[in-house]
Amino acid sequence: MKKILMLVFLQIFCLSLAVHAAQVTGLWQTFYDGTNIPKSVIRIYEKDGLVHGEIVVTFRKDGAPDIIKNEKGEVICDISVRAENMRGRPPFCGLIVLKNLRPNNRGVYSGGTILNPENDRSYRAEIWVANDGNLKIRGRWGIFWRTMTAFPFTEEQLKSVFTL
């Protein structure tokens, strides 16, 4: 009987973790500080029980997406736009900026890192969905932290970005 109860409890626990992951996973848009100008779209995904996030597309300061047409005529992210201050100058598109976040029982994901591609530094990270439905992303360094807000973004909106 104890084994059955433990198995049921474990299944309920795993199901609750999956529900929390569904809340933070997906597309989220960030904006330049203090403006309504989009900065990037981040895809947050779950892999092997951990949550990660990568930049899908970036925007210029005038709000236009950094996209080009490839040799096939397809509209794609412009990989020539690079993180100039990072070692190796990687392209922003596809850059993993959130790594190895684990959920806790309060719906907060932590234990991983966030990368700031503007200065090539990593910080302890926490993310959670606030009551207003927006994603809060917090980077911590010692007792200091900075929290930014990302807003829900849909696949349809992403497709419209890649339409010329």
Side-chain angles (χ1 to χ4, degrees), residues 15-81:
L15 181 61
S16 71
L17 290 180
V19 167
H20 284 299
Q23 291 177 355
V24 298
T25 56
L27 296 171
W28 299 92
Q29 186 172 33
T30 64
F31 290 84
Y32 285 98
D33 289 337
T35 71
N36 288 330
I37 301 171
K39 186 174 187 176
S40 67
V41 175
I42 300 169
R43 180 181 310 276
I44 297 183
Y45 59 94
E46 190 252 332
K47 182 179 175 186
D48 299 328
L50 300 173
V51 171
H52 310 277
E54 69 177 326
I55 296 175
V56 176
V57 65
T58 57
F59 296 84
R60 297 188 297 259
K61 291 201 178 196
D62 65 0
D66 287 319
I67 56 176
I68 58 170
K69 285 189 176 183
N70 66 9
E71 59 277 352
K72 296 179 184 175
E74 302 166 323
V75 180
I76 59 169
C77 191
D78 185 357
I79 61 168
S80 70
V81 179

